Amino acid sequence: MANINQNQDREQWGSKIGFILAAAGSAVGLGNLWKFPYMAGKNGGGAFVLVYFIILFLVGFTLMLAEIVLGRHTQLNAIGAYRKIRKNWAWVGGLGVLAGFLILSFYSVVGGWVINYIVKSLTGALNVSDAEVLGGMFGELISGTTVPIFYHGLFMLATLLIVFGGIGGGIEKSSKIMMPALFIMIIILAIRSMTLPGAVEGIKYLLVPDFSKITIGVILDALGQVFFSLSLGMGCMITYGSYLSKDTNIPQSATIIPLIDTGVALLAGLAVLPAVFAFGFEPSAGPGLIFITFPAVFAQMPLGSLFAVMFFVLVLFAALSSSISLLEVCVAYVVDEWKMNRKVTTIVLGVVIFLIGIPCSLSLGPWSDITLLPGKGFFDTFDFVSSNILLPLGGLLLCIFVGWIWGTDNAIKEATNDGNLEFKLSGAWAFLVKYVGPVAILLVFIRSLL
């Protein structure tokens, strides 16, 4: 009777692989495709990758397990999960729901840019090798009025339609298509990039660590990247964990998901850095790598237009697999707490988030003079508040809650299905969640505020 849980009507994942692909999809997002290659490029390549792997185990696996266990134990949304164990901690889950809501409002705007670039690459508009011209094209798109809002609406509609289908028929089904397709496309792009003349320097830079490059700054950057890459602290994994049956091996899942996420990040590094080195570009900061540098690289490749289309479809799948988890965090909260119909909730929240995304889009153009925080418009304010305050705070309080309030003994009991499953690292995990996790996240928090 493994599928019986506290909430009889609650949907569940149809299969173990469905859950793993959906959870990995939540973790794999735009950050893997532009931020990881950029961070590696900025922080000494192989040195950064090595530190990243160590922190992935110490912090990534630790928090991933804590969130999934909390979700499955309570079979509730992010707020309900905290409340069920300790009533006065419900607000911590509220931080996650708010973070998901804010992030999706501006993330959807970026998702819209990606759809626009798929159209541009299909029509040949990106067949330009001059980075300056491409920079102007990108600037014109994001500072526009109706065009970016139209594409933001398209992206939000795609997200809404997937979540509308529910856990099995929507999120799981789409993840089973998007994640394997994402892997195939990124492997093809990495192979193409690595076989370019002069690409060897980029491969060596990414994979061969220079230990002299490991500094406190590199460690803190790797810590921040692990934390944000895995979608930790925003209730996604609590929500996804709440749809798990009692016979799922959580320690195994919590190991596989970060490894898939890192595999995609590494492949993205191998797709980006060798090509960037081969054509003499610098791995520039932020989204410019996707929207300016890479189109310039494709324009100089044989069959470049084909690879450009493939690349932007890959980026779209990565963005969608994350956006559906962000919307699901909000939907699960309303459905659980207010007992509202799932389909109605999805439509209402989708429309509200789309409307809030409009000022985020306009703040990069016509509304650029309107600021909420000093020097920050809507887009940058929502990004700063969610990424630099709500997520680290949510992760820090998660560690304290699971480690000290609920207790690691109870968490391990849930993770091992009352001792029926082996969890060899249970002692190490308990130590990490109680002591290492909080200290590591506190460092991320302090640094992100500075």
Side-chain angles (χ1 to χ4, degrees):
M1 303 295 282
N3 274 348
I4 291 178
N5 57 47
Q6 294 98 314
N7 188 341
Q8 292 289 336
D9 301 324
R10 194 173 189 78
E11 271 196 273
Q12 293 201 333
W13 300 106
S15 63
K16 177 185 162 184
I17 190 70
F19 162 67
I20 286 174
L21 288 176
S26 169
V28 171
L30 295 173
N32 295 67
L33 300 181
W34 65 261
K35 200 172 180 187
F36 184 88
Y38 157 65
M39 293 300 257
K42 191 183 95 164
N43 287 298
F48 176 82
V49 173
L50 178 67
V51 174
Y52 183 89
F53 262 106
I54 294 166
I55 293 171
L56 182 78
F57 169 72
L58 294 177
V59 179
F61 162 74
T62 303
L63 266 80
M64 181 73 66
L65 185 80
E67 284 208 22
I68 296 172
V69 161
L70 184 57
R72 192 184 67 177
H73 177 74
T74 57
Q75 302 275 298
L76 289 167
N77 64 87
I79 294 176
Y82 281 98
R83 186 195 290 121
K84 185 169 183 176
I85 292 169
R86 191 61 63 89
K87 204 170 250 180
N88 58 352
W89 276 71
W91 65 276
V92 177
L95 295 178
V97 175
L98 179 61
F101 191 84
L102 290 180
I103 290 168
L104 188 51
S105 66
F106 68 83
Y107 196 86
S108 175
V109 173
V110 181
W113 302 343
V114 177
I115 298 175
N116 178 269
Y117 266 63
I118 293 173
V119 174
K120 278 187 166 72
S121 50
L122 283 168
T123 57
L126 289 183
N127 209 5
V128 181
S129 57
D130 186 336
E132 211 166 293
V133 174
L134 287 162
M137 198 187 291
F138 179 56
E140 192 183 329
L141 168 67
I142 68 171
S143 62
T145 306
T146 51
V147 173
I149 291 171
F150 171 74
Y151 283 102
H152 154 54
L154 276 186
F155 183 85
M156 203 58 227
L157 181 64
T159 303
L160 192 152
L161 288 172
I162 295 170
V163 176
F164 191 81
I167 296 305
I171 296 174
E172 184 169 352
K173 195 184 261 181
S174 66
S175 299
K176 282 180 172 176
I177 297 166
M178 288 195 294
M179 291 307 289
L182 187 148
F183 256 105
I184 291 164
M185 285 188 287
I186 202 164
I187 287 166
I188 292 169
L189 285 164
I191 291 168
R192 181 69 197 98
S193 178
M194 290 188 291
T195 51
L196 289 167
V200 175
E201 285 309 305
I203 300 169
K204 280 192 344 202
Y205 184 74
L206 184 69
L207 298 181
V208 180
D210 175 353
F211 293 101
S212 68
K213 296 266 171 71
I214 298 176
T215 62
I216 292 294
V218 169
I219 293 168
L220 287 171
D221 273 353
L223 194 56
Q225 179 63 15
V226 165
F227 191 77
F228 298 122
S229 180
L230 289 175
S231 305
L232 299 169
M234 63 174 86
C236 287
M237 295 303 154
I238 294 176
T239 306
Y240 276 15
S242 74
Y243 301 118
L244 280 175
S245 64
K246 287 290 178 186
D247 55 359
T248 305
N249 187 328
I250 294 179
Q252 190 183 61
S253 299
T255 308
I256 294 169
I257 295 160
L259 288 176
I260 292 176
D261 179 70
T262 305
V264 171
L266 264 181
L267 284 167
L270 288 170
V272 172
L273 290 176
V276 166
F277 270 76
F279 289 106
F281 288 104
E282 283 292 314
S284 64
L289 198 59
I290 285 182
F291 297 105
I292 300 166
T293 309
F294 238 48
V297 167
F298 289 130
Q300 296 176 51
M301 278 185 193
L303 296 176
S305 299
L306 175 69
F307 286 111
V309 173
M310 189 188 294
F311 176 71
F312 285 109
V313 172
L314 156 75
V315 177
L316 177 64
F317 282 180
L320 272 175
S321 64
S322 292
S323 67
I324 56 179
S325 69
L326 292 166
L327 183 55
E328 179 59 31
V329 168
C330 305
V331 168
Y333 161 65
V334 175
V335 170
D336 282 356
E337 303 289 320
W338 300 357
K339 307 299 176 208
M340 277 181 67
N341 175 280
R342 180 184 182 89
K343 293 188 169 172
V344 173
T345 302
T346 306
I347 293 168
V348 171
L349 282 173
V351 170
V352 171
I353 291 169
F354 164 71
L355 292 173
I356 291 173
I358 292 174
C360 291
S361 181
L362 293 174
S363 71
L364 301 172
W367 291 10
S368 56
D369 53 340
I370 301 172
T371 56
L372 298 181
L373 291 176
K376 295 183 192 297
F378 284 92
F379 191 106
D380 292 338
T381 297
F382 284 14
D383 186 10
F384 179 82
V385 169
S386 53
S387 302
N388 296 45
I389 298 171
L390 296 176
L391 293 194
L393 198 54
L396 178 64
L397 293 166
L398 170 77
C399 285
I400 294 167
F401 184 78
V402 173
W404 300 95
I405 308 294
W406 184 29
T408 50
D409 288 348
N410 286 321
I412 290 165
K413 196 176 168 193
E414 178 64 41
T416 59
N417 300 348
D418 290 334
N420 292 320
L421 281 176
E422 194 176 30
F423 180 18
K424 288 178 180 170
L425 295 172
S426 59
W429 174 78
F431 177 80
L432 289 169
V433 82
K434 286 170 90 166
Y435 304 104
V436 178
V439 172
I441 297 163
L442 195 58
L443 290 174
V444 171
F445 194 22
I446 292 165
R447 189 161 195 249
S448 63
L449 288 178
L450 298 176

